[in-house]
Amino acid sequence: MLLTITTTHQPATDLGYLLHKHPERCQSFPLSFGQAHIFYPEAAVDRCTAALLLDVDPVKLVRGRGKTLVQYVSDRPYVASSFLSVAIAQVFSTALGGRCKELPELVQTPIPLIAKLSVLPCRGGEGFLRQLFEPLGYSITAQGHILDEQFPDWGQSQYYTVELQHTITLSDLLSHLYVLIPVLDDDKHYFVGDGEIEKLLRHGEGWLTKHPAQEQIIKRYLKRQSKLTRIALAQLAEEDEPDPDKVAEQQAEEEAAVEKPLSLNQQRLDAVVAALKHKGAKKIVDLGCGQGNLLKKLAKDGYFHKITGVDISYRALEIADERLERLPSLQSVQLIQGALTYKDKRLTGYDAATVIEVIEHLDLPRLSAFERVLFEFAQPQTIVLTTPNIEYNVKFPNLPPGKLRHQDHRFEWTREEFQNWAKEVGEKFSYTVEFQPIGDVDSELGSPTQMGIFSRQ
Ligand code: SAH
């Protein structure tokens, strides 16, 4: 896959400064999916061309995913796709961000530029290609390719050799390519996850809001995931209406920010996994799994045979699914949407249930329903449950006094409150319980997280 960028702005070799790549050198950068090479086929005062040659390794793409040979035979190594966007963001990051110490004025100046893409898949044809680039001011030359020269009857392919010409800043050109190449390709993207909305909005800044095809661009860029698209559209329109999923995401970040200085989340996950292994539990159901922090760790571990995550939030499960999909295939993970306050057959048959930072999200009057669902009906041999220790909150520098760690927390307990509750539940449903601190232990306040490990008698 080849992208060339040419300028006739004089001195044209300034392109080297703008791209932060010296015209006399050939440079090569390893990427997770192959190799990017940058070189200048021409570098004169009146005309200079930089080339980005992307050598996508088809074997790397499928390695570890347990897929068949069919996956090796694809157009991915040869066409402009989201891989090219990732490569642009990595090897031209400074230029994409519009920074250049040597020529700060030129960065801001529209200069004559021609971008040529050797093979660009255009789902939607040349018409759609024009709909995307013409409103941004480009003149376009597109040369279509027939599917097979030996069989002209088969007609046109979706592949075009495309030349885009405009007087524009280099950073705008790169931003347009970054966003619109995956939009045209419209294949399953290499990326699309949590950070994609943020990237789309960042690289779309200044032009996407005004683009007549804005909605299609967002839809396709975000892999047609309706919820992500809705969030992005809402953010673009700066709607005041809070999206419930977005609120949940922000809150999760809030809690993480409060607890971050201690990397408490990591310590919590380590402690939970250690407790599960200590009990010899191999089949695990993670109740209130959220975005799959623990699931990922369990899936990567290799010790566990069966892993299931349950959550009431569809959005959280979608994110968990995406994150798990990106892991090299190890133990598969099943995700179930469900409420923990309703009896559910799907929760039975596990060695252990984990309930990590979840009970404090339940309304206190619903807690007894949850107790019955878990301890009476699901009845795993082991239950590992964690919850914040409210006594410790005074030690978080960025948590105002009296505030709970998360807007959605209905309560947070002292060590005594938690232990009383746990012992009572244990007695009622025939479980013994032991307690362990997680995180740094303060001699007076205890640890930031408290963990109860229940064992069925
Ligand atoms: N265990 C995860 C997430 C904790 S946040 C972690 O440690 O990262 C609490 C999670 O509980 C949220 O994802 C929320 O959607 C879920 N939750 C809250 N009430 C629930 C209920 N009644 N049934 C199922 N899940 C619930």
Side-chain angles (χ1 to χ4, degrees):
M1 163 57 222
L2 183 68
L3 162 72
T4 60
I5 298 174
T6 302
T7 188
T8 48
H9 164 84
Q10 296 197 6
T13 40
D14 277 355
L15 186 62
Y17 288 110
L18 292 179
L19 287 171
H20 291 254
K21 301 286 175 288
H22 200 288
E24 279 170 19
R25 245 180 270 147
C26 174
Q27 286 174 271
S28 193
F29 301 87
L31 302 169
S32 60
F33 45 84
Q35 197 77 15
H37 308 280
I38 295 166
F39 56 93
Y40 288 74
E42 56 180 343
V45 180
D46 56 343
R47 193 180 158 96
C48 180
T49 297
L52 165 59
L53 177 74
L54 196 56
D55 188 11
V56 174
D57 179 350
V59 179
K60 268 192 181 167
L61 294 187
V62 293
R63 189 172 291 155
R65 284 171 202 224
K67 299 278 166 67
T68 62
L69 189 65
V70 177
Q71 246 91 18
Y72 290 96
V73 186
S74 79
D75 67 357
R76 298 296 88 186
Y78 316 107
V79 304
S81 68
S82 49
F83 290 112
L84 182 59
S85 297
V86 173
I88 287 175
Q90 293 193 6
V91 300
F92 293 146
S93 66
T94 327
L96 178 65
R99 294 181 302 275
C100 177
K101 264 199 229 131
E102 289 83 0
L103 300 170
E105 273 178 24
L106 191 59
V107 164
Q108 317 275 359
T109 313
I111 55 173
L113 289 169
I114 305 166
K116 188 166 175 180
L117 293 144
S118 56
V119 189
L120 179 62
C122 301
R123 285 186 179 79
E126 191 180 332
F128 188 54
L129 170 74
R130 291 187 180 279
Q131 271 181 43
L132 293 184
F133 283 96
E134 277 175 354
L136 298 167
Y138 290 89
S139 2
I140 301 162
T141 319
Q143 186 201 342
H145 299 287
I146 58 172
L147 265 177
D148 192 319
E149 280 159 12
Q150 297 199 13
F151 303 95
D153 294 353
W154 291 1
Q156 286 293 318
S157 72
Q158 65 197 4
Y159 303 109
Y160 291 80
T161 301
V162 174
E163 213 176 86
L164 303 161
Q165 206 165 346
H166 196 3
T167 300
I168 190 174
T169 65
L170 180 63
S171 114
D172 280 349
L173 170 72
L174 292 174
S175 302
H176 295 155
L177 294 175
Y178 179 93
V179 172
L180 296 178
I181 287 171
V183 167
L184 276 160
D185 177 35
D186 200 26
D187 195 14
K188 186 174 165 56
H189 297 174
Y190 174 67
F191 46 65
V192 173
D194 249 355
E196 286 317 311
I197 295 178
E198 192 271 323
K199 281 187 212 155
L200 174 63
L201 297 177
R202 181 152 41 92
H203 297 301
E205 206 183 316
W207 61 273
L208 191 52
T209 35
K210 291 175 250 153
H211 201 294
Q214 180 199 111
E215 208 171 316
Q216 260 168 308
I217 293 172
I218 294 174
K219 249 189 213 151
R220 282 194 179 205
Y221 182 91
L222 297 176
K223 212 176 87 188
R224 300 189 181 280
Q225 298 190 11
S226 55
K227 280 198 177 144
L228 285 179
T229 310
R230 213 181 58 227
I231 295 170
L233 279 169
Q235 286 189 15
L236 270 183
E238 289 174 343
E239 281 178 5
D240 303 331
E241 196 93 335
D243 179 315
D245 289 327
K246 204 173 121 203
V247 171
E249 274 169 48
Q250 277 168 354
Q251 286 169 358
E253 281 167 19
E254 221 173 85
E255 187 173 15
V258 169
E259 294 184 342
K260 194 171 175 199
L262 306 173
S263 77
L264 187 54
N265 189 43
Q266 211 42 56
Q267 296 182 52
R268 193 152 50 216
L269 297 179
D270 289 343
V272 172
V273 171
L276 291 172
K277 286 187 178 172
H278 181 68
K279 293 286 179 186
K282 304 241 172 192
K283 293 189 232 168
I284 315 293
V285 61
D286 185 26
L287 305 178
C289 63
Q291 302 180 358
N293 290 334
L294 178 63
L295 296 175
K296 262 176 68 181
K297 199 168 166 67
L298 297 178
K300 277 198 284 192
D301 192 282
Y303 178 85
F304 304 97
H305 292 329
K306 182 175 177 187
I307 307 166
T308 301
V310 184
D311 205 285
I312 199 163
S313 160
Y314 189 74
R315 172 75 187 126
L317 291 172
E318 263 186 336
I319 295 173
D321 189 39
E322 279 164 19
R323 295 173 68 193
L324 288 162
E325 210 179 279
R326 271 184 256 147
L327 284 185
S329 81
L330 286 159
Q331 180 59 50
S332 68
V333 175
Q334 192 193 0
L335 296 174
I336 301 176
Q337 190 180 19
L340 303 179
T341 42
Y342 292 90
K343 212 165 106 178
D344 191 334
K345 266 210 221 103
R346 296 174 300 176
L347 307 185
T348 57
Y350 292 90
D351 300 333
T354 46
V355 194
I356 311 308
E357 306 297 284
V358 174
I359 56 167
E360 61 277 9
H361 291 264
L362 304 176
D363 284 325
L364 268 174
R366 302 291 293 148
L367 201 56
S368 58
F370 163 74
E371 291 162 16
R372 293 196 65 199
V373 166
L374 177 57
F375 291 85
E376 187 177 335
F377 300 116
Q379 269 190 6
Q381 187 58 40
T382 302
I383 297 169
V384 180
L385 188 146
T386 74
T387 193
N389 163 22
I390 195 172
E391 295 165 79
Y392 199 90
N393 283 3
V394 292
K395 299 250 307 178
F396 289 113
N398 38 5
L399 187 67
K403 199 165 176 253
L404 300 184
R405 291 182 208 180
H406 188 305
Q407 275 179 34
D408 187 53
H409 284 182
R410 312 301 155 93
F411 60 87
E412 283 173 3
W413 278 335
T414 61
R415 282 167 292 172
E416 196 187 347
E417 284 169 325
F418 174 56
Q419 293 185 9
N420 286 344
W421 170 82
K423 283 180 201 150
E424 210 176 285
V425 171
E427 269 163 33
K428 198 158 154 194
F429 300 105
S430 306
Y431 279 80
T432 55
V433 57
E434 52 194 300
F435 299 97
Q436 274 181 27
I438 298 177
D440 294 339
V441 181
D442 181 276
S443 57
E444 284 186 10
L445 304 167
S447 60
T449 298
Q450 36 190 349
M451 174 162 72
I453 304 167
F454 298 83
S455 308
R456 197 151 165 259
Q457 285 169 334

